[in-house]
Structure formats: C-alpha cells, structure tokens
Amino acid sequence: MSESSKLEARAVARANIALAKYWGKVDEQLNLPAVPSVSVTLDPLTTHTRVRFTPALSADTFVLDGRPAAPKETERVSTLLDTVRQEAGLTLFAEVESHNDFPTASGLASSASGFAALATAARAAAGLSFDRAAISALSRAASVSAARSAFAGYVVLPLAAPGDAAHAAQQIAAPDHWPLRVVVAVTSEGRKAVGSTSGMLHTVRTSPYFASWVALSPGLAARVQSGIKTRDLPSVGVAMEHSTLAMHACAMAAAPAVIYFQPATLAVLERVRRLRDDDQIAVWATADAGPHVKALCHVDDVERVERALAATEGVLRTLRAQPGPGVELE
Ligand code: DP6
C-alpha cells in the first residue's frame, strides 16, 4: 500500500446499456463473457460509492441506498475487496456505502455502475493507481457489464482469451462523438424474477440455441462498432435489435424457459417499429434481463419518441439518457 493512501475514497460511475449484448460465460470462475459486447455509458444515471478500510471492523459491511445490503450482495462486494486487498497488501476490512440516483427497479442495471464505482473507490482507498483498464478488469470479475462503465461514451468489451484475468473493456469513441439519446420505457416497478447471472447460466446449460448465439454475436458486435465509428444509426439500430431478440430467443428456449418480456414489452417494441415505418423516425429498441424497453434515437427525435413511448399501454413512466463520462474519483 502506498504511503499517501488515506484508506478512504469516493467514486461515481454511470450505468451503461449494451447495443450488442453479453449473455453467457466461457469461464464462471474468472467471470469471462462468451461473446463480445458493445455499449454506451449513460448520463445522468449514477451510483456514488464510498469505501473506507478500517481496523475497527471484523468483517466488510455494505450499506446500499441507506440500508444494510443482503448477505449475498455483501459477499459479492467482499470478493471484489479481497482482490484489492491482495494487490495492495492490505488486511483491513472495509465499510462500503453506495447510493444510486436512479431507482433499482428503473429498468437500468445498477450493478454495472455499482461495481465500477466500488472498484474505483476500493482501489483508490487501498492506495492503488487510477487505471481504467485495471478498474474495468476488477469490475468485470464482479459483473461483466460493469467492465464497460469504467469508460466514457461508446465502449467495447472484446471476446476474452481463455484464462485472461486482466480482460477489460476499451473505449471506441468519446460521448461527444455522437449525441444519441436513449429513452427508457419503464413497464414494471418490481424487481426482475430471474437475475441476469442465473438467467444466463441456465441458458448456457439448457438452451439448444446457445451455440448459435455465440456464433452470431461477434458479427453483430462488429457491425455495431463500425456503425458507431461512421455514425450510422440504421446500421447500429438493426444490429442492436437483432442482438436483443436473439439473446431473448436463446433465453426463451432454455428449459424451463427464461422469459423477461411482458405484454407491455411487446407493445413498446411494436410502437418503436411503427415510429420507424409510419412516421419515418430513426429509432430502434433494446431490452435487457427485464421487461423494460430502451429506445435509441437521434437527439432531434427524442421528444417525439419519448411522447410516443409514454403513451403506450403498460408504460408506467419514461426517462431519458445520453452518452456520459466514465468512472471518476470524487
Ligand atoms: C442482458 O453483467 O449483470 O444486461 O456478469 O453475471 O453479473 P454478470 O451479468 P450482468 O449481465 C448483463 C446482461 C445484459 C446484457 C449486457 O449488459 O450486455
């Protein structure tokens, strides 16, 4: 541990949404993804986290949004802290406090911003350097999608080489490269029935379509990446919808099925299609391991898209997001 470490640090990270999806692991131990993924880091959906290593504790503690977290969540936090302690040569336990400025059931994963903020604050508190690749790899070991929140704007998490414990995301383009907007249509307030980790592990083990998903994904991720570079929304949008629906089809074919869609999910997907076909608005949809839909469009169309989604049956509320910064120390 460095002399200058104060054993305490704070960090802020943003959520991200995958334009080309990650679903499935090649290595459960190292938490390595079976497919490459591409995302955009989203403002203003933030998680703030404070980590303090202290001799006063006999175990790690984790308070999330003002309440002690469940033992399983605290264990995931402790596992990340163990890696940091090992690298920094530290034996102290830590007090971790985390706060999401968007509701956990908002339809955007708080685990990505949560683990990216935790990794950053924990490394800094332990006196380790601010190194985005190291932060990304540490976050990825906790939750694959969190690896992408280390970076600003448009981000890729490439295919992992077997055994690569340092596997990390990379930035493709800065937020101002392309001012797209994401409209989130929230369709349910409850927590999702099947979490992404267990949903995908079950898919890997039982879906007859998993091999096809693994074969399809790299091509879709490449199309999304090149569409981002050339600012080609139809190209990104078509590949994003294909990735989304192939991922969900793969999960639905698991035995028993993993179904995240609800009637409102389909209603929003259909509304987005009509905005394209009838109103000639360049807008495409995606959905993660839950019933909510996120629509991707140009900044000039965001009002019309948001109004249309807000008026769709089953949509409880909408929120808007845009490309934002990577993780930062506070
Ligand atoms: C559908 O990153 O939450 O959002 O690595 O098991 O923690 P673990 O999974 P997680 O899965 C996210 C899945 C997804 C697609 C994506 O974000 O790429």
Side-chain angles (χ1 to χ4, degrees), residues 202-247:
H202 178 65
T203 304
V204 173
R205 285 177 195 133
T206 66
S207 175
Y209 300 155
F210 186 69
S212 307
W213 162 251
V214 169
L216 176 74
S217 293
L220 293 178
R223 273 169 54 199
V224 168
Q225 272 199 85
S226 67
I228 289 169
K229 284 183 185 141
T230 56
R231 300 186 189 85
D232 179 347
L233 184 54
S235 169
V236 170
V238 168
M240 177 181 81
E241 282 199 356
H242 194 176
S243 173
T244 302
L245 294 171
M247 177 200 115

Side-chain angles (χ1 to χ4, degrees), residues 35-314:
V35 296
S37 57
V38 182
S39 64
V40 56
T41 301
L42 295 177
D43 225 11
L45 309 161
T46 58
T47 301
H48 297 264
T49 300
R50 183 179 70 90
V51 174
R52 187 166 73 100
F53 289 101
T54 165
L57 290 174
S58 55
D60 296 319
T61 62
F62 177 34
V63 172
L64 178 59
D65 287 329
R67 287 193 208 141
K72 228 176 128 187
E73 290 175 47
T74 307
E75 201 183 301
R76 246 174 133 179
V77 165
S78 271
T79 303
L80 187 152
L81 293 172
D82 284 342
T83 309
V84 172
R85 279 188 279 256
Q86 201 178 11
E87 191 175 336
L90 193 65
T91 51
L92 301 175
F93 290 107
E95 180 184 272
V96 177
E97 267 174 36
S98 198
H99 169 75
N100 293 316
D101 78 349
F102 52 103
T104 310
S106 69
L108 282 149
S110 52
S111 69
S113 47
F115 283 114
L118 173 68
T120 306
R123 281 181 58 90
L128 299 172
S129 65
F130 183 85
D131 170 344
R132 284 192 195 277
I135 288 166
S136 177
L138 181 63
S139 311
R140 191 265 311 137
S143 183
V144 166
S145 54
R148 303 182 308 234
S149 281
F151 294 91
Y154 299 89
V155 179
V156 60
L157 181 63
L159 251 187
D164 184 7
H167 185 59
Q170 298 152 18
Q171 189 185 55
I172 304 168
D176 63 0
H177 165 74
W178 199 15
L180 292 180
R181 290 294 179 270
V182 173
V183 177
V184 182
V186 177
T187 60
S188 129
E189 296 290 4
R191 286 184 79 91
K192 56 195 175 196
V194 181
S196 40
T197 306
S198 58
M200 77 175 75
L201 292 179
H202 178 65
T203 304
V204 173
R205 285 177 195 133
T206 66
S207 175
Y209 300 155
F210 186 69
S212 307
W213 162 251
V214 169
L216 176 74
S217 293
L220 293 178
R223 273 169 54 199
V224 168
Q225 272 199 85
S226 67
I228 289 169
K229 284 183 185 141
T230 56
R231 300 186 189 85
D232 179 347
L233 184 54
S235 169
V236 170
V238 168
M240 177 181 81
E241 282 199 356
H242 194 176
S243 173
T244 302
L245 294 171
M247 177 200 115
H248 282 274
C250 185
M252 282 183 206
V258 178
I259 303 175
Y260 293 108
F261 285 7
Q262 285 178 6
T265 315
L266 288 174
V268 179
L269 292 178
E270 173 61 8
R271 188 70 189 94
V272 167
R273 191 189 61 74
R274 282 199 288 115
L275 283 170
R276 265 197 322 264
D277 293 355
D278 303 347
D279 305 326
Q280 270 70 55
I281 298 177
V283 54
W284 282 266
T286 184
D288 291 315
H292 318 290
V293 178
K294 292 102 179 184
L296 187 71
C297 65
H298 288 301
V299 60
D300 295 347
D301 294 323
V302 70
E303 309 277 349
R304 286 171 77 191
V305 169
E306 189 166 21
R307 233 179 300 129
L309 298 198
T312 303
E313 195 173 348

